[in-house]
Amino acid sequence: MSEKKMRILVISDSHGRNDDVAGVIEQVGHIDMLIHCGDVERGDDYIRSLVDCPVHMVAGNNDYNLELPSQDIFNIGDYKVLVVHGHTFCVYRGVERLKQYALIEIDEDVTVLNPGSVSYPRQSDHMPTFLIMEIDDEGEAHYGHGYYKSKFTELKI
């Protein structure tokens, strides 16, 4: 694999625990973009101030008083990206509805990514997770989950 061209941190469900957001940013090091998939709850301006790169942030089902969009569509290299919080597409029942919507938008294969929760994880091991997306020099995307506050800080992509 060639040297990385772009590094994107994807987080979700910080629920106002912005110390966790800052900790993940410190743990992963340099990033070229930050994507927050909702349930920010408070501190959206503070989160933006933590990084010196573009930030894409959408509203989750707990973001009542923030002026965040319910979805964001933009490009990362050759990839068209749709960022939403899962509740808008009932993902607790599966991702088919989300895939159908995305296919209508981009008419191509769809990769569904879930970074998990940085503050209140629901999966069986209850480890706070995040996702790193790296775009290599050939423009290919590579993905890997990381665990916040874990001795296993090396990310396998």
Side-chain angles (χ1 to χ4, degrees):
M1 185 165 42
S2 65
E3 200 168 312
K4 299 297 177 248
K5 185 177 183 180
M6 187 172 191
R7 195 160 191 250
I8 300 107
L9 172 61
V10 184
I11 60 173
S12 188
D13 296 84
S14 55
H15 293 281
R17 295 183 60 177
N18 295 323
D19 55 332
D20 290 342
V21 176
V24 168
I25 291 168
E26 182 179 338
Q27 180 177 326
V28 301
H30 173 78
I31 57 172
D32 299 297
M33 180 180 292
L34 172 63
I35 298 173
H36 195 304
C37 300
D39 278 355
V40 178
E41 288 193 38
R42 64 183 176 274
D44 54 319
D45 289 333
Y46 173 72
I47 291 170
R48 286 184 184 92
S49 77
L50 292 172
V51 294
D52 187 23
C53 63
V55 176
H56 294 271
M57 198 177 301
V58 298
N61 56 306
N62 290 298
D63 293 324
Y64 306 109
N65 297 317
L66 299 180
E67 292 186 23
L68 296 173
S70 62
Q71 63 181 269
D72 192 1
I73 300 172
F74 55 95
N75 290 327
I76 298 176
D78 293 334
Y79 295 91
K80 189 169 189 178
V81 177
L82 165 66
V83 178
V84 296
H85 193 72
H87 77 291
T88 58
F89 289 91
C90 304
V91 297
Y92 54 87
R93 294 184 184 159
V95 295
E96 289 310 309
R97 189 167 167 221
L98 177 60
K99 284 183 180 179
Q100 289 171 349
Y101 180 80
L103 282 168
I104 290 168
E105 289 295 318
I106 65 173
D107 198 29
E108 302 234 350
D109 290 337
V110 174
T111 302
V112 176
L113 304 173
N114 180 350
S117 172
V118 73
S119 294
Y120 294 104
R122 293 183 181 184
Q123 68 274 20
S124 61
D125 63 4
H126 299 287
M127 292 290 293
T129 57
F130 56 88
L131 187 130
I132 293 285
M133 176 180 175
E134 293 184 338
I135 307 293
D136 66 25
D137 285 337
E138 285 79 40
E140 294 293 316
H142 307 273
Y143 314 95
H145 268 105
Y147 295 92
Y148 176 49
K149 294 184 179 176
S150 171
K151 63 180 180 176
F152 305 105
T153 58
E154 188 169 330
L155 191 64
K156 302 280 192 235
I157 303 232

